[in-house]
Amino acid sequence: MPANKKLLILPGDGIGPEVMNEVRRVIEWMDRRRHVSFDIQEDLVGGAAIDARGMAITPATVERARAVDAVLFGAVGGPQWDSLGFAKRPELAILTLRKELGLFANLRPATVLEPLIGASTLKPEVISGLDLMIVRESTGGIYFGEPRGVDTLPDGSKRGYNTEVYTTHEIERIARVAFDLARKRQRRVCSVEKANVMETGLLWRQTVADLHARDYADVELSHMYADNCAMQLVRNPRQFDVIVSTNLFGDLLSDLASMLTGSLGMLPSATLGVPDSSGRRHALYEPIHGSAPDIAGKGIANPMAQMLSFAMLLRYSFDMEEDAAMIEGACTRVLASGLRTADVMAPGCAKVSTHVMGEAVVRELDKLAA
Ligand code: NAD
């Protein structure tokens, strides 16, 4: 069987390698049962790479990431590297990959799995069946705009400033990602900015509307101010299908939306680059959570966010919808059977380790594939 799907696995630090081990089992299962073979490379990033090589990610690792079809990232960081300062810290691994691979579109699904409905702070009737996707522009806007800095004024006090900048090109390419995704979902996009108080917001709104009229009239488009969107996400989140927003507002709204679903240990994400002429694009998939140093090494981390990130990888990098849905279905069934890691533990359920959870997912995959 030819190994044609090239993957780079970067487990990182803390619980990263622990949860990645459980994804490896799913990959082995796919090889065995679905006859899908991956050409897998693995490398060090974050604190592990700092300890071994003196930097969070080496140029050679970046080149390996550039050469594969998709990168599956774990998590980086930990207290032992906190004193290294801004220029050497483990998190530079992810920032470097985003920059070098041009990963501009961050996709964060907020899906409520029915067995975990009690884990949300919102009422079940508000979030039952929730399935929304936040598309955040992640390489532009105020986090990168110039000028930026802190100046000292003549009276000795200071003035800090950042600049929100967006070009037509940047807005169009992120809006295209949102519209294309919506076509595979419920065909609804809500574009979010602050056109009432920001010039970039006005440009954003106009550009998205123009693109919609030109190329995506089959998708329903609405516009919303970011502050209202934050309220609506808590009041009635099911009104949304795909939300597209700027780096800053998308950052806040995606964190808000992810917490609608309850637990950090359950949440995957994808970051996509620009497609080339053959349609191939760089892509990186990672759980939302960090390296969780407080529980690292104890074998109790929830592996599902990492497994669901792998499901996203299958869906968005390889168009393997059926396999992606199978992994998601297996995770739901394991939770419905009452097995839980500590972070999603509920009365009447059985608390199990990372490893047992991984085994249970593979068992459910076996049943689903039977
Ligand atoms: P964190 O996400 O690592 O942990 C927050 C809390 O959630 C902790 O109590 C942790 O035990 C729990 N948690 C997280 N993932 C879990 C899982 N899969 N199963 C069970 N419980 C889980 O965030 P933090 O504590 O703020 O950061 C820890 C380190 O991770 C820091 O060094 C930070 O810089 C880094 N970090 C890295 C990334 C990344 O690699 N993309 C993202 C966020 C934070």
mmCIF file with all atom_site columns, all heavy atoms in Angstrom, residues 238-261:
data_model
loop_
_atom_site.group_PDB
_atom_site.id
_atom_site.type_symbol
_atom_site.label_atom_id
_atom_site.label_alt_id
_atom_site.label_comp_id
_atom_site.label_asym_id
_atom_site.label_entity_id
_atom_site.label_seq_id
_atom_site.pdbx_PDB_ins_code
_atom_site.Cartn_x
_atom_site.Cartn_y
_atom_site.Cartn_z
_atom_site.occupancy
_atom_site.B_iso_or_equiv
_atom_site.pdbx_formal_charge
_atom_site.auth_seq_id
_atom_site.auth_comp_id
_atom_site.auth_asym_id
_atom_site.auth_atom_id
_atom_site.pdbx_PDB_model_num
ATOM 1   N N   . ARG A 1 238 ? -26.952 28.930 19.083 1.00 0.00 ? 238 ARG A N   1
ATOM 2   C CA  . ARG A 1 238 ? -27.331 28.073 17.955 1.00 0.00 ? 238 ARG A CA  1
ATOM 3   C C   . ARG A 1 238 ? -27.791 28.860 16.730 1.00 0.00 ? 238 ARG A C   1
ATOM 4   O O   . ARG A 1 238 ? -28.004 28.286 15.670 1.00 0.00 ? 238 ARG A O   1
ATOM 5   C CB  . ARG A 1 238 ? -28.428 27.091 18.376 1.00 0.00 ? 238 ARG A CB  1
ATOM 6   C CG  . ARG A 1 238 ? -27.849 25.913 19.132 1.00 0.00 ? 238 ARG A CG  1
ATOM 7   C CD  . ARG A 1 238 ? -28.915 24.972 19.537 1.00 0.00 ? 238 ARG A CD  1
ATOM 8   N NE  . ARG A 1 238 ? -29.988 25.672 20.242 1.00 0.00 ? 238 ARG A NE  1
ATOM 9   C CZ  . ARG A 1 238 ? -30.888 25.072 21.003 1.00 0.00 ? 238 ARG A CZ  1
ATOM 10  N NH1 . ARG A 1 238 ? -30.844 23.777 21.135 1.00 0.00 ? 238 ARG A NH1 1
ATOM 11  N NH2 . ARG A 1 238 ? -31.815 25.761 21.619 1.00 0.00 ? 238 ARG A NH2 1
ATOM 12  N N   . GLN A 1 239 ? -27.918 30.185 16.878 1.00 0.00 ? 239 GLN A N   1
ATOM 13  C CA  . GLN A 1 239 ? -28.299 30.979 15.699 1.00 0.00 ? 239 GLN A CA  1
ATOM 14  C C   . GLN A 1 239 ? -27.168 31.012 14.669 1.00 0.00 ? 239 GLN A C   1
ATOM 15  O O   . GLN A 1 239 ? -27.381 31.386 13.519 1.00 0.00 ? 239 GLN A O   1
ATOM 16  C CB  . GLN A 1 239 ? -28.654 32.409 16.109 1.00 0.00 ? 239 GLN A CB  1
ATOM 17  C CG  . GLN A 1 239 ? -27.452 33.234 16.566 1.00 0.00 ? 239 GLN A CG  1
ATOM 18  C CD  . GLN A 1 239 ? -27.829 34.613 17.091 1.00 0.00 ? 239 GLN A CD  1
ATOM 19  O OE1 . GLN A 1 239 ? -28.088 35.502 16.307 1.00 0.00 ? 239 GLN A OE1 1
ATOM 20  N NE2 . GLN A 1 239 ? -27.881 34.757 18.402 1.00 0.00 ? 239 GLN A NE2 1
ATOM 21  N N   . PHE A 1 240 ? -25.932 30.650 15.094 1.00 0.00 ? 240 PHE A N   1
ATOM 22  C CA  . PHE A 1 240 ? -24.776 30.780 14.200 1.00 0.00 ? 240 PHE A CA  1
ATOM 23  C C   . PHE A 1 240 ? -24.408 29.458 13.522 1.00 0.00 ? 240 PHE A C   1
ATOM 24  O O   . PHE A 1 240 ? -24.552 28.390 14.118 1.00 0.00 ? 240 PHE A O   1
ATOM 25  C CB  . PHE A 1 240 ? -23.544 31.260 14.985 1.00 0.00 ? 240 PHE A CB  1
ATOM 26  C CG  . PHE A 1 240 ? -23.713 32.616 15.612 1.00 0.00 ? 240 PHE A CG  1
ATOM 27  C CD1 . PHE A 1 240 ? -23.866 32.747 16.985 1.00 0.00 ? 240 PHE A CD1 1
ATOM 28  C CD2 . PHE A 1 240 ? -23.728 33.762 14.823 1.00 0.00 ? 240 PHE A CD2 1
ATOM 29  C CE1 . PHE A 1 240 ? -24.013 33.995 17.572 1.00 0.00 ? 240 PHE A CE1 1
ATOM 30  C CE2 . PHE A 1 240 ? -23.881 35.010 15.396 1.00 0.00 ? 240 PHE A CE2 1
ATOM 31  C CZ  . PHE A 1 240 ? -24.022 35.136 16.782 1.00 0.00 ? 240 PHE A CZ  1
ATOM 32  N N   . ASP A 1 241 ? -23.892 29.588 12.306 1.00 0.00 ? 241 ASP A N   1
ATOM 33  C CA  . ASP A 1 241 ? -23.289 28.434 11.632 1.00 0.00 ? 241 ASP A CA  1
ATOM 34  C C   . ASP A 1 241 ? -21.778 28.701 11.548 1.00 0.00 ? 241 ASP A C   1
ATOM 35  O O   . ASP A 1 241 ? -20.997 28.136 12.296 1.00 0.00 ? 241 ASP A O   1
ATOM 36  C CB  . ASP A 1 241 ? -23.919 28.265 10.243 1.00 0.00 ? 241 ASP A CB  1
ATOM 37  C CG  . ASP A 1 241 ? -23.301 27.130 9.450  1.00 0.00 ? 241 ASP A CG  1
ATOM 38  O OD1 . ASP A 1 241 ? -22.738 26.215 10.076 1.00 0.00 ? 241 ASP A OD1 1
ATOM 39  O OD2 . ASP A 1 241 ? -23.370 27.150 8.202  1.00 0.00 ? 241 ASP A OD2 1
ATOM 40  N N   . VAL A 1 242 ? -21.364 29.647 10.678 1.00 0.00 ? 242 VAL A N   1
ATOM 41  C CA  . VAL A 1 242 ? -19.954 30.032 10.595 1.00 0.00 ? 242 VAL A CA  1
ATOM 42  C C   . VAL A 1 242 ? -19.835 31.511 10.952 1.00 0.00 ? 242 VAL A C   1
ATOM 43  O O   . VAL A 1 242 ? -20.567 32.340 10.418 1.00 0.00 ? 242 VAL A O   1
ATOM 44  C CB  . VAL A 1 242 ? -19.397 29.803 9.169  1.00 0.00 ? 242 VAL A CB  1
ATOM 45  C CG1 . VAL A 1 242 ? -17.950 30.313 9.068  1.00 0.00 ? 242 VAL A CG1 1
ATOM 46  C CG2 . VAL A 1 242 ? -19.463 28.334 8.793  1.00 0.00 ? 242 VAL A CG2 1
ATOM 47  N N   . ILE A 1 243 ? -18.924 31.820 11.864 1.00 0.00 ? 243 ILE A N   1
ATOM 48  C CA  . ILE A 1 243 ? -18.631 33.220 12.207 1.00 0.00 ? 243 ILE A CA  1
ATOM 49  C C   . ILE A 1 243 ? -17.236 33.523 11.670 1.00 0.00 ? 243 ILE A C   1
ATOM 50  O O   . ILE A 1 243 ? -16.302 32.743 11.887 1.00 0.00 ? 243 ILE A O   1
ATOM 51  C CB  . ILE A 1 243 ? -18.640 33.425 13.743 1.00 0.00 ? 243 ILE A CB  1
ATOM 52  C CG1 . ILE A 1 243 ? -20.056 33.287 14.306 1.00 0.00 ? 243 ILE A CG1 1
ATOM 53  C CG2 . ILE A 1 243 ? -18.043 34.782 14.127 1.00 0.00 ? 243 ILE A CG2 1
ATOM 54  C CD1 . ILE A 1 243 ? -20.145 33.343 15.816 1.00 0.00 ? 243 ILE A CD1 1
ATOM 55  N N   . VAL A 1 244 ? -17.082 34.635 10.963 1.00 0.00 ? 244 VAL A N   1
ATOM 56  C CA  . VAL A 1 244 ? -15.740 35.024 10.506 1.00 0.00 ? 244 VAL A CA  1
ATOM 57  C C   . VAL A 1 244 ? -15.402 36.379 11.101 1.00 0.00 ? 244 VAL A C   1
ATOM 58  O O   . VAL A 1 244 ? -16.231 37.286 11.130 1.00 0.00 ? 244 VAL A O   1
ATOM 59  C CB  . VAL A 1 244 ? -15.644 35.028 8.954  1.00 0.00 ? 244 VAL A CB  1
ATOM 60  C CG1 . VAL A 1 244 ? -16.615 36.007 8.313  1.00 0.00 ? 244 VAL A CG1 1
ATOM 61  C CG2 . VAL A 1 244 ? -14.222 35.335 8.498  1.00 0.00 ? 244 VAL A CG2 1
ATOM 62  N N   . SER A 1 245 ? -14.170 36.497 11.628 1.00 0.00 ? 245 SER A N   1
ATOM 63  C CA  . SER A 1 245 ? -13.806 37.766 12.251 1.00 0.00 ? 245 SER A CA  1
ATOM 64  C C   . SER A 1 245 ? -12.301 38.015 12.205 1.00 0.00 ? 245 SER A C   1
ATOM 65  O O   . SER A 1 245 ? -11.519 37.189 11.752 1.00 0.00 ? 245 SER A O   1
ATOM 66  C CB  . SER A 1 245 ? -14.320 37.796 13.697 1.00 0.00 ? 245 SER A CB  1
ATOM 67  O OG  . SER A 1 245 ? -14.298 39.125 14.178 1.00 0.00 ? 245 SER A OG  1
ATOM 68  N N   . THR A 1 246 ? -11.947 39.185 12.709 1.00 0.00 ? 246 THR A N   1
ATOM 69  C CA  . THR A 1 246 ? -10.555 39.640 12.701 1.00 0.00 ? 246 THR A CA  1
ATOM 70  C C   . THR A 1 246 ? -9.734  38.862 13.730 1.00 0.00 ? 246 THR A C   1
ATOM 71  O O   . THR A 1 246 ? -10.273 38.093 14.522 1.00 0.00 ? 246 THR A O   1
ATOM 72  C CB  . THR A 1 246 ? -10.498 41.128 13.086 1.00 0.00 ? 246 THR A CB  1
ATOM 73  O OG1 . THR A 1 246 ? -10.979 41.243 14.441 1.00 0.00 ? 246 THR A OG1 1
ATOM 74  C CG2 . THR A 1 246 ? -11.355 41.980 12.181 1.00 0.00 ? 246 THR A CG2 1
ATOM 75  N N   . ASN A 1 247 ? -8.453  39.131 13.739 1.00 0.00 ? 247 ASN A N   1
ATOM 76  C CA  . ASN A 1 247 ? -7.556  38.450 14.677 1.00 0.00 ? 247 ASN A CA  1
ATOM 77  C C   . ASN A 1 247 ? -7.966  38.729 16.124 1.00 0.00 ? 247 ASN A C   1
ATOM 78  O O   . ASN A 1 247 ? -8.143  37.806 16.926 1.00 0.00 ? 247 ASN A O   1
ATOM 79  C CB  . ASN A 1 247 ? -6.124  38.948 14.406 1.00 0.00 ? 247 ASN A CB  1
ATOM 80  C CG  . ASN A 1 247 ? -5.081  37.949 14.869 1.00 0.00 ? 247 ASN A CG  1
ATOM 81  O OD1 . ASN A 1 247 ? -5.383  37.025 15.622 1.00 0.00 ? 247 ASN A OD1 1
ATOM 82  N ND2 . ASN A 1 247 ? -3.855  38.133 14.428 1.00 0.00 ? 247 ASN A ND2 1
ATOM 83  N N   . LEU A 1 248 ? -8.150  39.996 16.443 1.00 0.00 ? 248 LEU A N   1
ATOM 84  C CA  . LEU A 1 248 ? -8.466  40.383 17.823 1.00 0.00 ? 248 LEU A CA  1
ATOM 85  C C   . LEU A 1 248 ? -9.855  39.895 18.248 1.00 0.00 ? 248 LEU A C   1
ATOM 86  O O   . LEU A 1 248 ? -9.999  39.196 19.255 1.00 0.00 ? 248 LEU A O   1
ATOM 87  C CB  . LEU A 1 248 ? -8.393  41.908 17.959 1.00 0.00 ? 248 LEU A CB  1
ATOM 88  C CG  . LEU A 1 248 ? -8.857  42.499 19.293 1.00 0.00 ? 248 LEU A CG  1
ATOM 89  C CD1 . LEU A 1 248 ? -7.989  42.029 20.443 1.00 0.00 ? 248 LEU A CD1 1
ATOM 90  C CD2 . LEU A 1 248 ? -8.831  44.033 19.230 1.00 0.00 ? 248 LEU A CD2 1
ATOM 91  N N   . PHE A 1 249 ? -10.882 40.246 17.480 1.00 0.00 ? 249 PHE A N   1
ATOM 92  C CA  . PHE A 1 249 ? -12.233 39.848 17.882 1.00 0.00 ? 249 PHE A CA  1
ATOM 93  C C   . PHE A 1 249 ? -12.390 38.330 17.796 1.00 0.00 ? 249 PHE A C   1
ATOM 94  O O   . PHE A 1 249 ? -13.046 37.720 18.638 1.00 0.00 ? 249 PHE A O   1
ATOM 95  C CB  . PHE A 1 249 ? -13.287 40.554 17.016 1.00 0.00 ? 249 PHE A CB  1
ATOM 96  C CG  . PHE A 1 249 ? -13.298 42.050 17.202 1.00 0.00 ? 249 PHE A CG  1
ATOM 97  C CD1 . PHE A 1 249 ? -13.465 42.901 16.130 1.00 0.00 ? 249 PHE A CD1 1
ATOM 98  C CD2 . PHE A 1 249 ? -13.111 42.602 18.467 1.00 0.00 ? 249 PHE A CD2 1
ATOM 99  C CE1 . PHE A 1 249 ? -13.464 44.283 16.305 1.00 0.00 ? 249 PHE A CE1 1
ATOM 100 C CE2 . PHE A 1 249 ? -13.108 43.982 18.652 1.00 0.00 ? 249 PHE A CE2 1
ATOM 101 C CZ  . PHE A 1 249 ? -13.278 44.828 17.570 1.00 0.00 ? 249 PHE A CZ  1
ATOM 102 N N   . GLY A 1 250 ? -11.772 37.716 16.785 1.00 0.00 ? 250 GLY A N   1
ATOM 103 C CA  . GLY A 1 250 ? -11.855 36.266 16.642 1.00 0.00 ? 250 GLY A CA  1
ATOM 104 C C   . GLY A 1 250 ? -11.201 35.552 17.818 1.00 0.00 ? 250 GLY A C   1
ATOM 105 O O   . GLY A 1 250 ? -11.661 34.495 18.251 1.00 0.00 ? 250 GLY A O   1
ATOM 106 N N   . ASP A 1 251 ? -10.135 36.125 18.326 1.00 0.00 ? 251 ASP A N   1
ATOM 107 C CA  . ASP A 1 251 ? -9.444  35.558 19.485 1.00 0.00 ? 251 ASP A CA  1
ATOM 108 C C   . ASP A 1 251 ? -10.401 35.500 20.678 1.00 0.00 ? 251 ASP A C   1
ATOM 109 O O   . ASP A 1 251 ? -10.582 34.455 21.322 1.00 0.00 ? 251 ASP A O   1
ATOM 110 C CB  . ASP A 1 251 ? -8.242  36.472 19.806 1.00 0.00 ? 251 ASP A CB  1
ATOM 111 C CG  . ASP A 1 251 ? -7.292  35.867 20.812 1.00 0.00 ? 251 ASP A CG  1
ATOM 112 O OD1 . ASP A 1 251 ? -7.497  34.709 21.206 1.00 0.00 ? 251 ASP A OD1 1
ATOM 113 O OD2 . ASP A 1 251 ? -6.336  36.572 21.208 1.00 0.00 ? 251 ASP A OD2 1
ATOM 114 N N   . LEU A 1 252 ? -11.043 36.621 20.953 1.00 0.00 ? 252 LEU A N   1
ATOM 115 C CA  . LEU A 1 252 ? -11.947 36.695 22.102 1.00 0.00 ? 252 LEU A CA  1
ATOM 116 C C   . LEU A 1 252 ? -13.187 35.819 21.888 1.00 0.00 ? 252 LEU A C   1
ATOM 117 O O   . LEU A 1 252 ? -13.584 35.063 22.775 1.00 0.00 ? 252 LEU A O   1
ATOM 118 C CB  . LEU A 1 252 ? -12.396 38.148 22.335 1.00 0.00 ? 252 LEU A CB  1
ATOM 119 C CG  . LEU A 1 252 ? -11.285 39.185 22.504 1.00 0.00 ? 252 LEU A CG  1
ATOM 120 C CD1 . LEU A 1 252 ? -11.879 40.558 22.758 1.00 0.00 ? 252 LEU A CD1 1
ATOM 121 C CD2 . LEU A 1 252 ? -10.369 38.803 23.658 1.00 0.00 ? 252 LEU A CD2 1
ATOM 122 N N   . LEU A 1 253 ? -13.779 35.932 20.703 1.00 0.00 ? 253 LEU A N   1
ATOM 123 C CA  . LEU A 1 253 ? -15.033 35.213 20.462 1.00 0.00 ? 253 LEU A CA  1
ATOM 124 C C   . LEU A 1 253 ? -14.809 33.700 20.432 1.00 0.00 ? 253 LEU A C   1
ATOM 125 O O   . LEU A 1 253 ? -15.654 32.929 20.876 1.00 0.00 ? 253 LEU A O   1
ATOM 126 C CB  . LEU A 1 253 ? -15.672 35.680 19.145 1.00 0.00 ? 253 LEU A CB  1
ATOM 127 C CG  . LEU A 1 253 ? -16.123 37.144 19.146 1.00 0.00 ? 253 LEU A CG  1
ATOM 128 C CD1 . LEU A 1 253 ? -16.553 37.571 17.745 1.00 0.00 ? 253 LEU A CD1 1
ATOM 129 C CD2 . LEU A 1 253 ? -17.258 37.376 20.142 1.00 0.00 ? 253 LEU A CD2 1
ATOM 130 N N   . SER A 1 254 ? -13.644 33.264 19.911 1.00 0.00 ? 254 SER A N   1
ATOM 131 C CA  . SER A 1 254 ? -13.429 31.819 19.850 1.00 0.00 ? 254 SER A CA  1
ATOM 132 C C   . SER A 1 254 ? -13.173 31.247 21.242 1.00 0.00 ? 254 SER A C   1
ATOM 133 O O   . SER A 1 254 ? -13.576 30.125 21.536 1.00 0.00 ? 254 SER A O   1
ATOM 134 C CB  . SER A 1 254 ? -12.315 31.448 18.871 1.00 0.00 ? 254 SER A CB  1
ATOM 135 O OG  . SER A 1 254 ? -11.118 32.066 19.222 1.00 0.00 ? 254 SER A OG  1
ATOM 136 N N   . ASP A 1 255 ? -12.536 32.007 22.117 1.00 0.00 ? 255 ASP A N   1
ATOM 137 C CA  . ASP A 1 255 ? -12.377 31.529 23.493 1.00 0.00 ? 255 ASP A CA  1
ATOM 138 C C   . ASP A 1 255 ? -13.737 31.448 24.180 1.00 0.00 ? 255 ASP A C   1
ATOM 139 O O   . ASP A 1 255 ? -14.037 30.491 24.892 1.00 0.00 ? 255 ASP A O   1
ATOM 140 C CB  . ASP A 1 255 ? -11.461 32.466 24.299 1.00 0.00 ? 255 ASP A CB  1
ATOM 141 C CG  . ASP A 1 255 ? -10.021 31.962 24.285 1.00 0.00 ? 255 ASP A CG  1
ATOM 142 O OD1 . ASP A 1 255 ? -9.688  31.163 23.388 1.00 0.00 ? 255 ASP A OD1 1
ATOM 143 O OD2 . ASP A 1 255 ? -9.230  32.365 25.163 1.00 0.00 ? 255 ASP A OD2 1
ATOM 144 N N   . LEU A 1 256 ? -14.531 32.473 23.950 1.00 0.00 ? 256 LEU A N   1
ATOM 145 C CA  . LEU A 1 256 ? -15.876 32.479 24.535 1.00 0.00 ? 256 LEU A CA  1
ATOM 146 C C   . LEU A 1 256 ? -16.677 31.280 24.039 1.00 0.00 ? 256 LEU A C   1
ATOM 147 O O   . LEU A 1 256 ? -17.267 30.532 24.818 1.00 0.00 ? 256 LEU A O   1
ATOM 148 C CB  . LEU A 1 256 ? -16.571 33.789 24.153 1.00 0.00 ? 256 LEU A CB  1
ATOM 149 C CG  . LEU A 1 256 ? -17.847 34.175 24.885 1.00 0.00 ? 256 LEU A CG  1
ATOM 150 C CD1 . LEU A 1 256 ? -18.147 35.648 24.654 1.00 0.00 ? 256 LEU A CD1 1
ATOM 151 C CD2 . LEU A 1 256 ? -19.040 33.356 24.478 1.00 0.00 ? 256 LEU A CD2 1
ATOM 152 N N   . ALA A 1 257 ? -16.660 31.075 22.712 1.00 0.00 ? 257 ALA A N   1
ATOM 153 C CA  . ALA A 1 257 ? -17.461 29.996 22.126 1.00 0.00 ? 257 ALA A CA  1
ATOM 154 C C   . ALA A 1 257 ? -16.972 28.635 22.603 1.00 0.00 ? 257 ALA A C   1
ATOM 155 O O   . ALA A 1 257 ? -17.781 27.728 22.848 1.00 0.00 ? 257 ALA A O   1
ATOM 156 C CB  . ALA A 1 257 ? -17.399 30.068 20.606 1.00 0.00 ? 257 ALA A CB  1
ATOM 157 N N   . SER A 1 258 ? -15.645 28.494 22.760 1.00 0.00 ? 258 SER A N   1
ATOM 158 C CA  . SER A 1 258 ? -15.151 27.175 23.144 1.00 0.00 ? 258 SER A CA  1
ATOM 159 C C   . SER A 1 258 ? -15.615 26.820 24.551 1.00 0.00 ? 258 SER A C   1
ATOM 160 O O   . SER A 1 258 ? -15.883 25.663 24.846 1.00 0.00 ? 258 SER A O   1
ATOM 161 C CB  . SER A 1 258 ? -13.638 27.097 23.018 1.00 0.00 ? 258 SER A CB  1
ATOM 162 O OG  . SER A 1 258 ? -13.020 28.039 23.846 1.00 0.00 ? 258 SER A OG  1
ATOM 163 N N   . MET A 1 259 ? -15.762 27.816 25.400 1.00 0.00 ? 259 MET A N   1
ATOM 164 C CA  . MET A 1 259 ? -16.199 27.512 26.759 1.00 0.00 ? 259 MET A CA  1
ATOM 165 C C   . MET A 1 259 ? -17.681 27.181 26.855 1.00 0.00 ? 259 MET A C   1
ATOM 166 O O   . MET A 1 259 ? -18.153 26.653 27.850 1.00 0.00 ? 259 MET A O   1
ATOM 167 C CB  . MET A 1 259 ? -15.845 28.663 27.703 1.00 0.00 ? 259 MET A CB  1
ATOM 168 C CG  . MET A 1 259 ? -14.408 28.609 28.173 1.00 0.00 ? 259 MET A CG  1
ATOM 169 S SD  . MET A 1 259 ? -14.026 27.051 29.048 1.00 0.00 ? 259 MET A SD  1
ATOM 170 C CE  . MET A 1 259 ? -13.161 26.095 27.832 1.00 0.00 ? 259 MET A CE  1
ATOM 171 N N   . LEU A 1 260 ? -18.441 27.471 25.775 1.00 0.00 ? 260 LEU A N   1
ATOM 172 C CA  . LEU A 1 260 ? -19.849 27.060 25.764 1.00 0.00 ? 260 LEU A CA  1
ATOM 173 C C   . LEU A 1 260 ? -19.935 25.544 25.884 1.00 0.00 ? 260 LEU A C   1
ATOM 174 O O   . LEU A 1 260 ? -20.900 24.986 26.364 1.00 0.00 ? 260 LEU A O   1
ATOM 175 C CB  . LEU A 1 260 ? -20.531 27.481 24.453 1.00 0.00 ? 260 LEU A CB  1
ATOM 176 C CG  . LEU A 1 260 ? -20.588 28.970 24.141 1.00 0.00 ? 260 LEU A CG  1
ATOM 177 C CD1 . LEU A 1 260 ? -21.156 29.177 22.746 1.00 0.00 ? 260 LEU A CD1 1
ATOM 178 C CD2 . LEU A 1 260 ? -21.440 29.692 25.166 1.00 0.00 ? 260 LEU A CD2 1
ATOM 179 N N   . THR A 1 261 ? -18.883 24.880 25.390 1.00 0.00 ? 261 THR A N   1
ATOM 180 C CA  . THR A 1 261 ? -18.932 23.421 25.324 1.00 0.00 ? 261 THR A CA  1
ATOM 181 C C   . THR A 1 261 ? -18.367 22.758 26.581 1.00 0.00 ? 261 THR A C   1
ATOM 182 O O   . THR A 1 261 ? -18.397 21.552 26.679 1.00 0.00 ? 261 THR A O   1
ATOM 183 C CB  . THR A 1 261 ? -18.145 22.905 24.113 1.00 0.00 ? 261 THR A CB  1
ATOM 184 O OG1 . THR A 1 261 ? -16.765 23.199 24.338 1.00 0.00 ? 261 THR A OG1 1
ATOM 185 C CG2 . THR A 1 261 ? -18.586 23.570 22.827 1.00 0.00 ? 261 THR A CG2 1
#
